[in-house]
Amino acid sequence: MFVSRDEEPAFAGADWGTSRFRLWLMDKAGNVLAERRSDDGLDASRASGFSQVLECHLAALGAPANLPVVVCGMAGSRQGWVEASYVDIPADPATILAASARIIDTKRDIRIVPGLAQQGAKPNVMRGEETQLLGLVHGKPGFSGLVAMPGTHSKWVHLEGGRVSRFSTYLTGELYALICSQSILRHSIGAAAESVDADHPGFATGLEQALAPDFSLLGTLFELRAAMLLNGQGEDEAAAKLSGMVIGSEAADARAKAPADIRTVQLIASGRMERLYRKALGAAGFDCETVDADDAVRKGLHAAATGLWFSSRKETA
Amino acid sequence: MFVSRDEEPAFAGADWGTSRFRLWLMDKAGNVLAERRSDDGLDASRASGFSQVLECHLAALGAPANLPVVVCGMAGSRQGWVEASYVDIPADPATILAASARIIDTKRDIRIVPGLAQQGAKPNVMRGEETQLLGLVHGKPGFSGLVAMPGTHSKWVHLEGGRVSRFSTYLTGELYALICSQSILRHSIGAAAESVDADHPGFATGLEQALAPDFSLLGTLFELRAAMLLNGQGEDEAAAKLSGMVIGSEAADARAKAPADIRTVQLIASGRMERLYRKALGAAGFDCETVDADDAVRKGLHAAATGLWFSSRKETA
């Protein structure tokens, strides 16, 4: 599909998280015209003032003073710029966007996309991922299926007719990092934590363990230390096995809880993380359709902008 | 049983761990005549010199210059005083004690009890707990059964005919502490981590979740944060639920892996920890026979001393 590229931006989209800030100027069709990335996360931005940080980056890209801006991520949390309260699922895109928080003390139109909440016996929240899901549904209207969004707090999302019906959060990335850097296993893993390759045999071993019936992560972790003490197991091997165990635990549980007829997962991830999860999900019996994580954020911001400002107008395409 | 108390000590026993040091003077029957407790763990003792630290505490208790000393714990690790290499299981008490490391540059007879190693596909090690097991078997010769030793690294030990046949380690205590103090859940738990009571309803809720089929610790932890954000769940409640989830995960896995005919567990624990585990193991279907943890260490050191020095002599009793 050929998409013409406007020379003038139609909006700016920002992914504003706890530790980083990313900004794109896009045209109405979602083509990226300019980009900024910085470490202006929440803490840094609170000190300088959120409005000032945003305007500074917009100015650096030459954005017009009336360019509207849509923001997703932790900037909409209680600790952020303005709280965009969680919207209960299930909610369609229009309902979600209607609940955006509008910044009132600025000249330009700035909206923050709200997160989603799952009420009830299995309470859960997401903030930031909902925007990627808006992008996915914008590209596949009425989509039903399973979406995996690996990370510090991995999200597994069930969509039905383009709306989130339920989701889970796995503390996989955070626990992996804590175990590698803070637990007794740090002596067995050293600096190998961040370089595990999906093709390392230890990763496959860890996956196999985690996917076996009756696997207990809590009851297996210490074996990584014992293998070092008794067999001289190296740090790369320990890190790869640990990575396989934790990602495999996530995949095994997601498989156990997914409806039997769901085989395909939309995997929103990039780079090394994408390779690790593709391998783990494959071992758990899923087929993966990968969506690049960066691309998913931009598509989501474009979908949000379209819903907020352009949907009733004719697209220039 | 009446046991006479000698006025003179027959030996000293020390439990010398990473962060603390405990010393008892005992008579041949294992009666405690004097006690010292201090923070002279491995790091502190390495700087001052292990021999000097021990002699200082012995002198404070008025121990004779020729009193033999038996030591258990991390003092026998590679980072300790002298390495007492792991003995492969299964090993009977005599074999374990014969592998004790003897300190050669001191006038008195000082031995360090070695740890135990499980070789093979499920490598594991223990150091310190083997001495408590020696005490248990000394009191119940030829004991067969299951022993739970909760802690930072909980041990579950299968004994057959007085010898360890296999064991597992659960990182329960360490992960609980890391999650409470370092993870995103620290904002939901605050200072409540160390005061969870076994009677808190949240503890029962956490246990129930963990003991249900298909429970995933990795996939449930974040619900504690969501419950705070969405329902205002308090810190006590979050800590109690988390404690129930992690201890319940350990109990559920131990139950799944124990032979069906084993219902009784020797639970070596004290105080709050004993109450939490007794409740968790009960919920998992075990009956508990509690052995006080401090008492188990002293009985173990006495059993070791008896095996090392007194077994061929007539007991004064």
Side-chain angles (χ1 to χ4, degrees):
Chain A
M1 187 178 73
F2 175 74
V3 181
S4 72
R5 174 171 291 213
D6 297 345
E7 289 187 13
E8 290 301 315
F11 72 101
D15 179 12
W16 208 335
T18 306
S19 56
R20 63 180 187 168
F21 171 89
R22 294 180 298 169
L23 177 70
W24 297 276
L25 302 193
M26 294 188 235
D27 66 16
K28 269 191 195 166
N31 298 301
V32 174
L33 306 179
E35 179 186 74
R36 295 273 289 182
R37 290 168 185 259
S38 89
D39 295 329
D40 290 322
L42 292 204
D43 289 338
S45 304
R46 201 178 298 114
S48 321
F50 287 94
S51 179
Q52 194 166 330
V53 170
L54 178 62
E55 288 301 333
C56 178
H57 287 293
L58 286 167
L61 294 180
N66 63 345
L67 192 73
V69 181
V70 58
V71 177
C72 71
M74 294 304 285
S77 70
R78 212 166 295 173
Q79 289 73 42
W81 188 355
V82 163
E83 187 176 4
S85 300
Y86 297 106
V87 173
D88 288 349
I89 60 163
D92 56 31
T95 307
I96 296 169
L97 292 173
S100 295
R102 184 160 181 176
I103 307 293
I104 52 169
D105 55 351
T106 55
K107 273 179 267 177
R108 65 175 86 238
D109 189 349
I110 303 175
R111 317 279 183 106
I112 306 184
V113 181
L116 298 182
Q118 174 170 276
Q119 306 286 350
K122 293 182 170 295
N124 224 313
V125 293
M126 67 169 72
R127 192 178 285 285
E129 294 90 350
E130 76 294 324
T131 301
Q132 300 181 46
L133 295 169
L134 287 174
L136 188 127
V137 171
H138 188 70
K140 301 178 181 228
F143 176 78
S144 293
L146 189 52
V147 183
M149 311 167 90
T152 305
H153 302 154
S154 292
K155 301 288 180 189
W156 280 75
V157 183
H158 291 259
L159 285 156
E160 290 177 21
R163 306 191 308 172
V164 173
S165 56
R166 62 187 170 94
F167 64 99
S168 309
T169 303
Y170 295 84
L171 232 62
T172 314
E174 178 160 21
L175 272 194
Y176 176 77
L178 277 179
I179 291 168
C180 287
S181 65
Q182 306 283 330
S183 83
I184 183 85
L185 295 186
R186 69 189 186 278
H187 305 299
S188 309
I189 290 173
E194 293 311 313
S195 54
V196 171
D197 190 277
D199 291 329
H200 193 293
F203 185 69
T205 303
L207 284 183
E208 195 181 345
Q209 288 184 274
L211 291 165
D214 282 340
F215 174 73
S216 162
L217 184 61
L218 210 52
T220 309
L221 290 169
F222 194 78
E223 292 178 8
L224 296 173
R225 176 167 173 79
M228 178 193 72
L229 293 171
L230 300 178
N231 313 326
Q233 175 180 269
E235 295 180 345
D236 285 351
E237 178 90 5
K241 282 182 179 169
L242 175 62
S243 181
M245 282 181 202
V246 294
I247 297 178
S249 291
E250 176 185 331
D253 187 63
R255 178 65 273 179
K257 285 167 186 164
D261 63 330
I262 289 197
R263 291 197 56 85
T264 303
V265 174
Q266 306 293 315
L267 173 61
I268 303 186
S270 308
R272 202 168 59 81
M273 192 65 82
E274 190 273 333
R275 293 191 295 277
L276 292 171
Y277 270 79
R278 186 153 35 85
K279 183 149 189 169
L281 300 192
F286 287 116
D287 299 323
C288 288
E289 290 180 5
T290 294
V291 179
D292 177 78
D294 250 36
D295 201 37
V297 174
R298 288 188 297 263
K299 284 203 166 88
L301 290 166
H302 173 243
T306 302
L308 286 167
W309 299 305
F310 314 135
S311 55
S312 58
R313 303 181 205 171
K314 191 173 180 303
E315 299 259 341
T316 312
Chain B
M1 188 178 69
F2 175 74
V3 180
S4 74
R5 174 173 291 214
D6 298 346
E7 289 187 13
E8 289 301 314
F11 72 100
D15 179 12
W16 208 334
T18 305
S19 57
R20 63 181 188 166
F21 172 89
R22 295 182 296 169
L23 177 70
W24 297 276
L25 302 194
M26 293 188 235
D27 66 16
K28 267 190 195 166
N31 297 301
V32 173
L33 307 179
E35 180 186 74
R36 295 272 288 181
R37 290 169 185 258
S38 89
D39 295 329
D40 289 322
L42 292 204
D43 288 339
S45 305
R46 202 178 297 115
S48 322
F50 288 94
S51 179
Q52 194 167 328
V53 170
L54 178 62
E55 289 300 335
C56 178
H57 287 293
L58 286 167
L61 294 181
N66 64 344
L67 191 74
V69 181
V70 58
V71 178
C72 72
M74 294 305 284
S77 71
R78 213 167 293 172
Q79 289 74 41
W81 188 356
V82 163
E83 187 177 3
S85 300
Y86 296 107
V87 173
D88 288 348
I89 59 162
D92 55 31
T95 305
I96 296 169
L97 292 172
S100 294
R102 184 161 183 176
I103 307 293
I104 51 170
D105 55 352
T106 55
K107 273 180 267 175
R108 66 174 87 238
D109 190 349
I110 303 176
R111 317 279 182 106
I112 306 184
V113 181
L116 299 182
Q118 174 169 276
Q119 305 286 348
K122 292 182 170 299
N124 225 313
V125 293
M126 67 168 72
R127 191 179 286 284
E129 295 91 351
E130 76 295 323
T131 301
Q132 301 180 47
L133 295 170
L134 287 174
L136 188 128
V137 171
H138 189 70
K140 302 178 181 226
F143 176 78
S144 293
L146 189 52
V147 183
M149 312 166 89
T152 307
H153 302 154
S154 291
K155 301 288 180 189
W156 280 76
V157 184
H158 291 261
L159 285 156
E160 289 177 20
R163 305 191 308 172
V164 173
S165 57
R166 62 188 169 93
F167 65 98
S168 308
T169 304
Y170 295 84
L171 232 63
T172 314
E174 179 161 20
L175 272 195
Y176 177 76
L178 278 179
I179 291 168
C180 288
S181 65
Q182 306 281 329
S183 82
I184 183 85
L185 296 186
R186 69 188 186 279
H187 305 299
S188 309
I189 290 172
E194 294 310 314
S195 55
V196 172
D197 190 277
D199 291 329
H200 194 294
F203 185 68
T205 304
L207 284 182
E208 193 181 345
Q209 288 184 275
L211 290 165
D214 283 340
F215 175 73
S216 163
L217 184 61
L218 209 53
T220 310
L221 291 169
F222 193 78
E223 291 178 9
L224 296 173
R225 176 167 174 79
M228 177 194 72
L229 294 171
L230 299 180
N231 313 327
Q233 175 179 269
E235 296 182 344
D236 285 350
E237 177 91 5
K241 282 183 180 169
L242 175 62
S243 182
M245 282 182 201
V246 295
I247 297 178
S249 291
E250 176 185 331
D253 187 64
R255 179 64 272 178
K257 286 169 183 162
D261 63 330
I262 290 197
R263 290 197 56 85
T264 304
V265 174
Q266 306 293 314
L267 173 61
I268 303 185
S270 308
R272 201 169 59 82
M273 191 66 80
E274 190 272 334
R275 293 191 296 278
L276 293 170
Y277 270 80
R278 186 153 36 83
K279 182 147 189 171
L281 301 192
F286 287 115
D287 299 322
C288 289
E289 291 179 5
T290 292
V291 180
D292 177 78
D294 250 36
D295 201 38
V297 173
R298 288 189 296 265
K299 284 205 166 88
L301 290 166
H302 173 243
T306 302
L308 285 167
W309 299 304
F310 314 136
S311 55
S312 58
R313 304 181 206 170
K314 193 175 179 301
E315 298 257 342
T316 311

